[in-house]
């Protein structure tokens, strides 16, 4: 990304010379978000067997309900992987059908736990390889997950200021983003 990208988006004056056009800022934030997503597409996508492995690993620790499993995977992966209910619940059903997991309903929720066969299978899977969420967070030292996520969150915050802030707040945001850009480039200059 060139230095002029943010400069054009935040420092440029409109065609009529009227300060920072809101549409330029919003377009720039959307472009930034899209670029981060393109750079990481596929980077946080997990293999089909990873949901199964993750579910078995978590249930080896303690019984959980489906949404607990989803939240725990998201938390352990540092937010880089959040499996959908459409992948977790069918996996739980398949594991139940295979006799590896049993479901008990209480309080309107199904809590899943491992059977003896499930404990053996989970133990085999965890000794064969690392947990799937570990590979999601440690891939490239986290470079392909943490930095783009932070960039997207920054872009969202800047877009929010652009949408709802007054002229002074937008000017402050531009100063902060310019300083952040300079600091990021200074990191590369140190190596």
């Amino acid at each position: 990304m060139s230095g002029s990208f943010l400069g054009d988006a935040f420092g440029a004056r409109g065609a009529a010379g009227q300060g920072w056009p809101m549409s330029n800022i919003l377009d720039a934030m959307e472009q930034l978000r899209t670029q981060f997503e393109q750079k990481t597409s596929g980077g946080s996508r997990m293999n089909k067997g990873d949901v199964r492995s993750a579910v078995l690993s978590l249930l080896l620790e303690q019984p959980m309900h489906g949404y607990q499993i989803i939240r725990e995977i998201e938390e352990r992966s540092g937010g880089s992987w959040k499996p959908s209910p459409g992948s977790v619940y069918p996996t739980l059903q398949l594991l139940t059908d295979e006799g590896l997991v049993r479901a008990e309903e209480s309080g309107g929720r199904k809590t899943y736990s491992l059977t003896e066969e499930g404990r053996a299978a989970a133990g085999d899977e965890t000794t064969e390889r690392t947990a799937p969420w570990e590979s999601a967070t440690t891939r490239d030292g986290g470079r392909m997950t943490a930095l783009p996520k932070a960039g997207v969150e920054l872009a969202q915050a800047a877009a929010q200021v652009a949408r709802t802030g007054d002229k002074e707040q937008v000017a402050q945001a531009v100063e902060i983003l310019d300083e952040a850009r300079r600091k990021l480039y200074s990191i590369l200059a140190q190596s």
Side-chain angles (χ1 to χ4, degrees), residues 154-167:
L154 177 63
Q156 290 169 338
Q160 182 70 28
V161 171
R163 279 191 300 273
T164 60
D166 61 28
K167 197 172 189 173

Side-chain angles (χ1 to χ4, degrees), residues 31-72:
Q31 184 179 357
L32 182 62
R33 184 188 63 76
T34 302
Q35 286 177 350
F36 275 125
E37 287 176 352
Q38 287 172 349
K39 296 244 188 249
T40 60
S41 64
S44 62
R45 192 146 177 86
M46 304 308 285
N47 296 324
K48 288 185 179 194
D50 287 336
V51 173
R52 177 187 176 94
S53 178
V55 167
L56 288 172
S57 294
L58 290 173
L59 292 179
L60 188 59
E61 295 175 13
Q62 68 179 6
M64 295 183 179
H65 59 78
Y67 278 101
Q68 280 178 296
I69 292 169
I70 292 168
R71 282 195 317 267
E72 194 65 29

Side-chain angles (χ1 to χ4, degrees), residues 2-189:
S2 72
S4 66
F5 171 76
L6 288 175
D8 291 345
F10 295 107
R13 298 186 81 66
Q18 301 172 341
W20 303 295
M22 181 77 70
S23 63
N24 282 359
I25 294 172
L26 296 176
D27 290 345
M29 291 298 96
E30 180 61 25
Q31 184 179 357
L32 182 62
R33 184 188 63 76
T34 302
Q35 286 177 350
F36 275 125
E37 287 176 352
Q38 287 172 349
K39 296 244 188 249
T40 60
S41 64
S44 62
R45 192 146 177 86
M46 304 308 285
N47 296 324
K48 288 185 179 194
D50 287 336
V51 173
R52 177 187 176 94
S53 178
V55 167
L56 288 172
S57 294
L58 290 173
L59 292 179
L60 188 59
E61 295 175 13
Q62 68 179 6
M64 295 183 179
H65 59 78
Y67 278 101
Q68 280 178 296
I69 292 169
I70 292 168
R71 282 195 317 267
E72 194 65 29
I73 292 171
E74 181 182 23
E75 184 176 309
R76 291 185 188 201
S77 71
S80 67
W81 178 32
K82 182 180 180 184
S84 70
S87 63
V88 170
Y89 284 103
T91 299
L92 286 166
Q93 184 59 55
L94 179 63
L95 292 170
T96 301
D97 293 346
E98 292 174 3
L100 301 177
V101 169
R102 76 175 141 265
E104 294 177 19
E105 191 158 341
S106 67
R109 278 198 170 149
K110 283 187 181 178
T111 300
Y112 299 89
S113 58
L114 294 176
T115 62
E116 287 304 315
E117 298 85 11
R119 288 196 175 287
D124 291 345
E125 287 215 18
T126 56
T127 57
E128 289 177 15
R129 60 186 178 133
T130 61
W133 52 79
E134 289 176 8
S135 62
T137 56
T138 59
R139 185 180 299 122
D140 293 333
R143 182 174 98 179
M144 293 306 290
T145 55
L147 183 59
K149 181 176 185 252
V152 168
E153 289 171 351
L154 177 63
Q156 290 169 338
Q160 182 70 28
V161 171
R163 279 191 300 273
T164 60
D166 61 28
K167 197 172 189 173
E168 184 177 313
Q169 291 169 323
V170 170
Q172 289 174 344
V174 170
E175 287 178 32
I176 290 168
L177 290 173
D178 282 344
E179 178 65 18
R181 179 182 43 81
R182 284 190 294 277
K183 285 182 177 183
L184 288 171
Y185 280 126
S186 74
I187 291 169
L188 293 175

